[in-house]
Amino acid sequence: AHDRGDKPAADRLEAYVRLLLGDRDAALGLLAKVLAQAPNDRAWVARFPWYQELREDPRFKALVSDR
């Protein structure tokens, strides 16, 4: 069964861990999944300190932009 309850939070945490491990591609992939499920979280993700090192990455900028 797919429970959406804590999945976005788990994916946000995993994205941070992947970033700590140097796997930027995996982190961005997880954040893309999170924001596909919760597009209203874009501004929060953009500001959140965990993802600070991604802020200059064009892929991250595209993910968190209002388009």
Side-chain angles (χ1 to χ4, degrees), residues 6-39:
D6 288 342
K7 187 67 173 137
D11 287 341
R12 286 193 299 268
L13 176 58
E14 185 178 347
Y16 176 56
V17 172
R18 297 289 182 160
L19 199 52
L20 289 175
L21 295 172
D23 193 347
R24 184 176 284 234
D25 292 339
L28 286 163
L30 285 158
L31 290 174
K33 195 165 79 168
V34 165
L35 294 175
Q37 294 173 355

Side-chain angles (χ1 to χ4, degrees), residues 35 39 42-43 46 58-67:
L35 294 175
R42 282 192 307 260
R59 297 170 295 174
F60 183 76
K61 288 180 180 181
L63 277 178
V64 298
S65 76
D66 287 333
R67 290 194 215 356

Side-chain angles (χ1 to χ4, degrees), residues 33-57:
K33 195 165 79 168
V34 165
L35 294 175
Q37 294 173 355
N40 291 335
D41 287 353
R42 282 192 307 260
W44 180 87
V45 168
R47 288 190 318 269
F48 202 68
W50 282 359
Y51 313 120
Q52 182 171 351
E53 77 176 69
L54 291 173
R55 289 188 186 141
E56 296 308 312
D57 189 306

